Amino acid sequence: MDSFSATPLVVLAEQFAALPGIGMKTAKRLAFAVMDMPKEQAEAFAEAILNARSRIHECPICCNLTDAEECEICSSPKRDAGTICVVEGPKDVSAIERTHEYHGLYHVLHGHISPLDGVTPENLRIAQLLQRVQTGTVKELIMALNASIEGDATALYVARLMKPLGVKVTRLAFGLPVGGVIEYSDEITLYRALENRMEL
Amino acid sequence: MDSFSATPLVVLAEQFAALPGIGMKTAKRLAFAVMDMPKEQAEAFAEAILNARSRIHECPICCNLTDAEECEICSSPKRDAGTICVVEGPKDVSAIERTHEYHGLYHVLHGHISPLDGVTPENLRIAQLLQRVQTGTVKELIMALNASIEGDATALYVARLMKPLGVKVTRLAFGLPVGGVIEYSDEITLYRALENRMEL
């Protein structure tokens, strides 16, 4: 019996609530915000959603999201084609690019192997990676998957598949995060940091 | 040089970031979520925005948002037409309806008087309220504006305008919130609670 019985507003709030990390209360607030904005802005918002969905697709080489035929990184002559950094999702590419220290190419798997969620190797972009490695220009694959059980399992699966092709397979180092406090570190991180200790 | 150079994705993230309480980091996460959802869902999302904006308008009587010709509350014969609760926004109507204790009508001002932000009485739905009160069926106006300087000023302004018409003007009680701890209450709330003390 309040303004939320105005159905289009309920529908809009439910759409917001379907996004990750947005609860129903925030979703209602956002729906009201859409009502408060100038009409042109609301239309631009809707347009942006449709545009992103229709114009963005996976790069045929690295499977990252792009609106170009091939993504900027794959088509850049400045990148080292001998190294491919394998990641779970496009967000990981953004994160690694922010370091400004990696100059090779990427390969986005779009997930990790997780039989419980019905995700098998066939659901990931592993076949595309195999094809890239088989062309022969790739010298090293850096597995930059999340430090989770599924991430580790996926990295191992991919490594076992690629090694016979004569490519070097590495993975990100484990250890204390920069600024990390030993007292508050979990035991597995600490164990890995000890195991991978380096000479000063 | 990452997937965020895919312009439609940047545009979409910026649209999300324009919403209140959504920073650029969350906005990017939400933009990626839109890319992850089934295409039909993304289209339904865009549709929901356009639908809400085209079908929802202000009720000609109470100025609350509705998709009907007149809102459900105004058109309900069960509501007491002698009492109008004056609020700042549609969200306040939702909040008061949740108490299930109020059975009168509402009037949504769509803001509060705030000369610094360029909001004068003419920008609010005060003329519409005046018209409703002038019809003569209204006996009481309950000012349920926020307990801010602007809310108080708006309530006073409206009260001074309406009283000559012979209508009773009340406002919400101030005091300790239910479950409120005296130790942690601010002095103004405590002062108001003392001032409005009731006999047991």
Side-chain angles (χ1 to χ4, degrees):
Chain A
M1 287 293 279
D2 58 38
S3 64
F4 253 84
S5 53
T7 329
L9 210 51
V10 181
V11 172
L12 180 55
E14 280 166 354
Q15 289 290 347
F16 274 117
L19 295 170
I22 306 281
M24 200 54 202
K25 212 164 173 176
T26 305
K28 281 187 185 180
R29 195 168 52 76
L30 296 178
F32 275 123
V34 169
M35 294 306 299
D36 276 343
M37 55 175 69
K39 196 161 201 275
E40 307 75 55
Q41 197 189 335
E43 285 163 358
F45 190 2
E47 178 85 16
I49 293 173
L50 297 175
N51 237 327
R53 287 304 304 230
S54 64
R55 288 181 45 203
I56 292 181
H57 54 89
E58 289 182 19
C59 168
I61 303 173
C62 73
C63 304
N64 194 6
L65 300 176
T66 181
D67 64 336
E69 201 175 330
E70 288 174 6
C71 83
E72 268 195 61
I73 296 175
C74 286
S75 54
S76 164
K78 288 186 195 152
R79 311 288 303 214
D80 165 22
T83 315
I84 293 180
C85 181
V86 180
V87 297
E88 293 188 21
K91 277 171 272 197
D92 304 320
V93 175
S94 300
I96 294 172
E97 282 298 287
R98 278 198 297 274
T99 68
H100 298 291
E101 287 298 332
Y102 177 69
H103 307 291
L105 301 177
Y106 290 93
H107 194 85
V108 180
L109 294 178
H110 288 276
H112 49 232
I113 299 170
S114 173
L116 285 177
D117 301 316
V119 183
T120 63
E122 290 73 43
N123 300 124
L124 304 178
R125 310 299 184 274
I126 294 176
Q128 289 90 328
L129 178 61
L130 198 61
Q131 212 177 359
R132 291 177 78 181
V133 174
Q134 280 166 341
T135 62
T137 54
V138 184
K139 287 187 187 69
E140 181 178 356
L141 285 184
I142 304 173
M143 306 305 293
L145 305 184
N146 287 333
S148 62
I149 294 173
E150 292 88 355
D152 282 349
T154 309
L156 270 175
Y157 178 90
V158 174
R160 223 173 284 170
L161 205 65
M162 302 299 166
K163 270 191 179 159
L165 303 169
V167 71
K168 186 175 157 193
V169 183
T170 57
R171 64 137 212 246
L172 291 189
F174 287 118
L176 281 183
V178 175
V181 181
I182 291 178
E183 185 179 346
Y184 301 128
S185 294
D186 65 289
E187 48 274 59
I188 301 174
T189 301
L190 219 47
Y191 168 70
R192 296 256 170 125
L194 264 173
E195 198 181 36
N196 302 326
R197 66 191 178 278
M198 293 167 72
E199 208 169 323
L200 288 173
Chain B
M1 287 294 277
D2 58 37
S3 64
F4 253 85
S5 53
T7 329
L9 210 50
V10 181
V11 172
L12 180 56
E14 279 166 355
Q15 289 290 348
F16 274 118
L19 295 170
I22 306 279
M24 200 54 202
K25 211 164 175 176
T26 306
K28 282 187 185 180
R29 195 169 51 76
L30 296 177
F32 276 122
V34 169
M35 295 306 299
D36 276 342
M37 54 174 70
K39 198 163 200 278
E40 306 76 55
Q41 197 188 334
E43 284 164 357
F45 189 2
E47 177 85 17
I49 293 172
L50 297 176
N51 237 327
R53 287 304 302 230
S54 65
R55 287 180 45 202
I56 292 181
H57 53 89
E58 289 183 19
C59 168
I61 302 173
C62 73
C63 305
N64 193 7
L65 299 177
T66 181
D67 64 336
E69 201 176 329
E70 287 175 7
C71 82
E72 269 195 61
I73 295 175
C74 285
S75 55
S76 164
K78 288 185 194 153
R79 311 289 301 216
D80 166 22
T83 314
I84 294 179
C85 180
V86 181
V87 296
E88 293 188 22
K91 277 173 271 196
D92 304 320
V93 175
S94 301
I96 294 172
E97 283 297 287
R98 279 198 298 273
T99 68
H100 297 292
E101 287 299 331
Y102 178 69
H103 307 292
L105 302 176
Y106 289 93
H107 193 84
V108 181
L109 295 179
H110 288 276
H112 49 231
I113 300 169
S114 174
L116 285 177
D117 302 315
V119 183
T120 63
E122 291 71 46
N123 300 124
L124 305 178
R125 310 300 183 272
I126 294 177
Q128 289 90 330
L129 178 61
L130 198 62
Q131 211 177 0
R132 290 177 79 181
V133 174
Q134 280 166 340
T135 63
T137 55
V138 184
K139 289 187 187 65
E140 181 177 356
L141 286 184
I142 304 173
M143 307 304 295
L145 306 186
N146 288 333
S148 62
I149 294 173
E150 292 88 356
D152 282 349
T154 310
L156 270 176
Y157 178 91
V158 174
R160 224 173 283 170
L161 205 65
M162 303 298 167
K163 269 190 178 159
L165 303 169
V167 69
K168 185 174 158 193
V169 183
T170 58
R171 62 135 213 247
L172 292 189
F174 287 119
L176 281 183
V178 175
V181 181
I182 291 177
E183 185 181 346
Y184 301 128
S185 295
D186 64 289
E187 46 274 60
I188 301 175
T189 301
L190 218 47
Y191 168 72
R192 296 258 171 124
L194 264 174
E195 197 182 37
N196 302 326
R197 66 190 179 277
M198 293 167 73
E199 208 169 324
L200 287 174

